[in-house]
Amino acid sequence: MANTPSAKKATRKIAARTAINKSRRSRVRTFIRKVEEAITSGDHAAAFAALKAAEPEIHRAAGKGIVHANLASRKVSRLNSRVKALAV
């Protein structure tokens, strides 16, 4: 339990930051899920559009420290290769 005023403030700040981070992480997962669903349906145009919407959101999360930069690049790369495979 925090006793000092500075520790109490730090606890409040951590709680606020955690809520923001959860929201951002959820938003990224939603965008990724939309791409996954479009890929599963086999619609290349929808998958491509969903990927183009998801890519900046994933990299934004990496920039904010929500996910690691390498994870963001890996996700985008793997999704992109799967969307490309639909075009064939």
Side-chain angles (χ1 to χ4, degrees), residues 16-27:
R17 181 58 44 199
T18 299
I20 292 166
N21 288 347
K22 278 185 179 178
S23 172
R24 287 191 176 133
R25 192 175 309 116
S26 174
R27 187 170 161 85

Side-chain angles (χ1 to χ4, degrees), residues 19-74:
I20 292 166
N21 288 347
K22 278 185 179 178
S23 172
R24 287 191 176 133
R25 192 175 309 116
S26 174
R27 187 170 161 85
V28 168
R29 286 180 182 146
T30 300
F31 274 90
I32 291 172
R33 192 184 72 246
K34 286 178 182 175
V35 177
E36 296 277 357
E37 288 171 355
I39 290 170
T40 305
S41 72
D43 186 1
H44 179 261
F48 186 76
L51 177 63
K52 288 303 147 199
E55 187 173 352
E57 200 63 42
I58 295 168
H59 284 300
R60 191 172 300 121
K64 302 282 185 185
I66 308 302
V67 295
H68 197 277
N70 289 359
L71 183 141
S73 293
R74 185 173 66 242

